[in-house]
Amino acid sequence: PMLILQGQCDDSVKKISSRRIYDTISSTDKQMVAYPQSGHCMFHDKEAQKAVADILAFIHAKAEERP
């Protein structure tokens, strides 16, 4: 499983980079989430709580899928 988070106001990593990574990953078990108000350090930005909640939800969902 792969979760890609991208701050849309990121000045360090181009937005196209996360899309390329997502498109290149061979797994079909993948998710990409964009945060329109966040920059490179999204865990210190406006959407920090949402990013953490999204990560935890992804991990919990994957844990529930396991036998």
Side-chain angles (χ1 to χ4, degrees), residues 32-53:
M32 185 165 65
V33 183
Y35 299 90
Q37 298 178 350
S38 294
H40 188 70
C41 297
M42 71 178 61
F43 299 111
H44 299 282
D45 219 324
K46 296 175 184 176
E47 297 167 295
Q49 289 182 346
K50 174 147 179 37
V52 170

Side-chain angles (χ1 to χ4, degrees), residues 6-57:
Q6 173 70 47
Q8 296 297 291
C9 299
D10 192 335
D11 293 330
S12 299
V13 178
K14 295 178 183 178
K15 289 182 240 181
I16 191 71
S17 298
S18 59
R19 172 51 64 185
R20 283 186 183 148
I21 292 168
Y22 182 87
D23 291 342
T24 303
I25 294 169
S26 61
S27 175
T28 57
D29 189 2
K30 56 188 175 181
Q31 181 181 346
M32 185 165 65
V33 183
Y35 299 90
Q37 298 178 350
S38 294
H40 188 70
C41 297
M42 71 178 61
F43 299 111
H44 299 282
D45 219 324
K46 296 175 184 176
E47 297 167 295
Q49 289 182 346
K50 174 147 179 37
V52 170
D54 289 344
I55 292 168
L56 291 174

